[in-house]
Amino acid sequence: MAKEEHGVARRSSSNVTGWDRGDLDCWRAGSVDDVTACVDRARREGRALYPVSTGLNWGYGSAAPPRAGTVVLDLSGMNRIRNAMEISEANPVAVIEPGVTQRQLHDFLSQSCPGLSFNVTGSSVDTSILGNALDRGVGYLGPRREDVFGLEVVTGRGELLRTGFRRLGEDSPLAHAHPYGLGPMLDGLFFQGNYGIVTSACLKLLPRPARSVAVSLALRDVSKLGEFLDGLALLKRLGVMSGVTHVGNQARTRASMMSGISEYLRISCGVAERDLAAEADRALATVAPYEWTSLGGVAGSAAQVKAAIAEVRRVLGGIAKLTVVDDAKLAAGFRLLNPLRNLWPWARANAAAISAIRPLQGLADGRPTDAAITNLLWRYGQPQLPARELDASGCGLIFINPALPMAGGAVVKVVDAMKAVAAGFGHELYVTLNIETTTSLVAVANLLFDRGDAAAVANARACARALWEYLRSCGLEVYRARADMMEDVVDPQDSFWRTAWALKSVFDPDNLIAPGRYNLARAPDA
């Protein structure tokens, strides 16, 4: 939260990773001119800037910069959908600023163009779309990097740069249409780059399909996880399941559903607080007894969806239990089971599960939710906090997320080893394997801990370090880095990072923009 101190805005960098830079100066920008003025001021005063969109980059450092003393540049006031009047099913592109949240765009499309949707993430409704995309976040339908083109950037020199055909001017019919432009594609430099401050970008919107269902596959035998992943990879390559399929372990399933199950049992079934945990455990064991369960979406015409489900069953039906759900089936199931909740334990467990699943089901259909964050707040005894205040809670959350090759056997070895490393520190590892591209997947792995316990914080941070060192020993790396690990992942002897530094002299010669973030913090030794 930002606060005023002697006329100067200050912002706490305390966050769920347990690593922060204390209170920092915070400047706010509400327009491109404001951003340019802040860059000019930073150059005059010899200050460094750390731009954040909404600052809700939980598990990666939130608004904490890699270098102490950096001024946080808050861009949440830049929250315009610039071409709102031009968006239509025939023109499915939104020009958004960094402060535009998932909630804002969803609400706008629901009211103004309900035939369109967008690629949402499972994080809070109040997270920035552009901020997540620029850090290469993964949505439910694919990598968000692929959703964005035509950037508008204020460089460290204070110059305004537009990439692709936006350089022709906003009135050009190509500005918001053709994603590649002419000549070198500079867009990529600003994804996990620190050469400038992105002030707007074009976001691809998606037509709502005639039919959309969620396909869940529960792996019956944990020893077949490698075969399971290979089957899902095949379905991805064939285009049968073209979005991202999420394969979560039981710890992840529990973390995602326990809050919703418990609230249903408490409110609808009158279960006493003293009995709630045990009752919720029994309900979850009834509906989700398997160690690994996948969730992905299938969309298209009714015939396409039917054919896709048949192919999923052909490839994986022998080793996994297949369940197909949509809003109508969930609603019908709840109408049937809810009245039986006090007569039949199986009905109660399944009604509770439906209550927990409903918000998650909407993600594949472009409906963002706070469910994941609400579960964390519930777990740490602060369900009354709004989701956007997670950094103010007692929840500790650290991500260690490797990119992995699309080879089931190799992935199983890495996941098993990571779980063993975590267990050595007394931690359970929460894992989701995301089938992201046709050639690779990413693991979203995290630790949870009590941030109010200094020993627990130190232990979790040591565990995270050991997990990263294990990954590096395998020739692997994380696909997104936390603020506290930037100095470790960036090697000044590596020609890649030395080249990345050399580009700073082109865009940001004074090293003003996010020094040390996905780049060297200072010039390498000659």
Side-chain angles (χ1 to χ4, degrees):
M1 297 291 290
K3 58 185 178 181
E4 295 295 325
E5 199 170 273
H6 305 298
V8 178
R10 301 281 287 173
R11 179 172 181 147
S12 171
S13 63
S14 177
N15 66 86
V16 292
T17 67
W19 179 88
D20 63 70
R21 293 298 195 182
D23 285 354
L24 298 169
D25 284 350
C26 177
W27 300 348
R28 295 186 179 88
S31 67
V32 175
D33 287 344
D34 288 350
V35 173
T36 302
C38 286
V39 170
D40 290 343
R41 177 182 173 186
R43 295 179 74 189
R44 291 194 308 271
E45 297 180 8
R47 310 287 298 275
L49 296 174
Y50 191 67
V52 299
S53 48
T54 58
L56 306 183
N57 195 22
W58 295 307
Y60 296 100
S62 297
R67 195 174 83 177
T70 303
V71 177
V72 174
L73 181 58
D74 184 343
L75 304 175
S76 61
M78 295 188 67
N79 58 3
R80 291 186 302 148
I81 302 170
R82 293 193 185 172
N83 66 332
M85 301 300 292
E86 287 79 44
I87 294 172
S88 68
E89 292 183 41
N91 184 32
V93 175
V95 181
I96 59 171
E97 295 182 335
V100 174
T101 65
Q102 297 201 112
R103 183 204 305 269
Q104 181 183 348
L105 183 57
H106 174 265
D107 289 351
F108 168 78
L109 292 176
S110 297
Q111 295 167 13
S112 301
C113 201
L116 292 176
S117 184
F118 66 103
N119 182 19
V120 303
T121 71
S123 190
S124 169
V125 298
D126 291 319
T127 53
S128 163
I129 298 168
L130 188 50
N132 177 265
L134 292 172
D135 204 24
R136 297 195 196 131
V138 181
Y140 260 67
L141 301 179
R144 269 195 163 166
R145 162 64 184 91
E146 297 176 4
D147 301 335
V148 172
F149 66 97
L151 309 183
E152 176 187 73
V153 185
V154 176
T155 71
R157 292 180 181 272
E159 299 170 340
L160 190 64
L161 170 70
R162 294 188 178 95
T163 67
F165 279 136
R166 283 190 80 187
R167 68 178 176 79
L168 298 178
E170 302 296 271
D171 292 333
S172 168
L174 292 173
H176 307 151
H178 190 278
Y180 308 115
L182 179 70
M185 289 188 67
L186 302 182
D187 305 54
L189 293 173
F190 302 98
F191 289 82
Q192 292 188 355
N194 67 346
Y195 306 118
I197 300 166
V198 178
T199 51
S200 71
C202 299
L203 177 77
K204 299 174 187 176
L205 303 174
L206 306 169
R208 290 196 177 278
R211 180 152 168 71
S212 175
V213 300
V215 177
S216 173
L217 291 159
L219 181 64
R220 296 189 181 95
D221 182 353
V222 70
S223 69
K224 296 186 180 295
L225 178 58
E227 181 183 343
F228 186 51
L229 294 173
D230 287 339
L232 290 170
L234 174 63
L235 293 169
K236 173 75 171 180
R237 291 175 181 136
L238 291 173
V240 175
M241 298 184 74
S242 57
V244 175
T245 299
H246 307 261
V247 187
N249 69 348
Q250 198 166 56
R252 177 73 76 206
T253 300
R254 180 183 178 85
S256 299
M257 293 183 63
M258 283 299 281
S259 171
I261 288 175
S262 298
E263 284 303 286
Y264 173 83
L265 294 174
R266 183 179 65 84
I267 296 171
S268 298
C269 304
V271 176
E273 198 69 37
R274 66 179 180 277
D275 302 322
L276 195 55
E279 177 83 9
D281 281 340
R282 285 194 294 271
L284 188 65
T286 298
V287 299
Y290 303 100
E291 176 58 27
W292 290 95
T293 305
S294 75
L295 184 66
V298 173
S301 68
Q304 287 173 321
V305 169
K306 183 179 179 180
I309 292 170
E311 185 67 4
V312 172
R313 184 175 282 110
R314 182 189 71 79
V315 174
L316 290 171
I319 62 173
K321 176 185 175 183
L322 185 148
T323 304
V324 178
V325 297
D326 57 19
D327 288 339
K329 285 186 177 180
L330 289 175
F334 192 78
R335 284 195 303 271
L336 174 67
L337 297 169
N338 185 52
L340 304 174
R341 63 189 181 278
N342 293 322
L343 300 175
W344 191 15
W346 185 87
R348 176 186 293 207
N350 278 272
I354 291 172
S355 182
I357 289 169
R358 272 176 157 172
L360 303 175
Q361 151 71 13
L363 289 166
D365 198 35
R367 300 195 302 269
T369 176
D370 279 333
I373 309 306
T374 300
N375 272 285
L376 293 176
L377 291 169
W378 171 84
R379 179 187 179 115
Y380 286 92
Q382 296 170 288
Q384 75 285 355
L385 279 179
R388 64 176 297 108
E389 298 297 331
L390 183 64
D391 280 327
S393 75
C395 173
L397 170 67
I398 293 178
F399 282 120
I400 316 93
N401 295 349
L404 297 167
M406 192 80 90
V411 171
V412 171
K413 287 179 64 176
V414 171
V415 170
D416 285 348
M418 289 181 70
K419 289 167 68 177
V421 170
F425 287 83
H427 276 279
E428 184 172 33
L429 197 65
Y430 300 80
V431 182
T432 302
L433 303 171
N434 291 330
I435 312 292
E436 184 187 25
T437 74
T438 57
T439 55
S440 67
L441 58 82
V442 295
V444 177
N446 69 271
L447 307 172
L448 292 177
F449 55 96
D450 181 356
R451 194 151 55 99
D453 182 337
V457 174
N459 173 269
R461 294 187 57 73
C463 181
R465 173 83 190 192
L467 286 165
W468 176 73
E469 289 175 345
Y470 162 72
L471 293 171
R472 289 298 297 267
S473 75
C474 301
L476 298 170
E477 186 56 280
V478 293
Y479 79 97
R480 289 175 70 182
R482 303 185 312 274
D484 63 288
M485 61 190 299
M486 292 294 176
E487 191 171 344
D488 293 322
V489 300
V490 176
D491 180 1
Q493 303 308 313
D494 187 325
S495 62
F496 173 85
W497 293 115
R498 293 173 78 94
T499 301
W501 172 261
L503 288 169
K504 287 287 270 184
S505 65
V506 177
F507 297 101
D508 183 21
D510 299 314
N511 197 19
L512 296 177
I513 311 299
R517 184 177 187 274
Y518 294 115
N519 209 324
L520 303 179
R522 62 194 64 85
D525 296 334

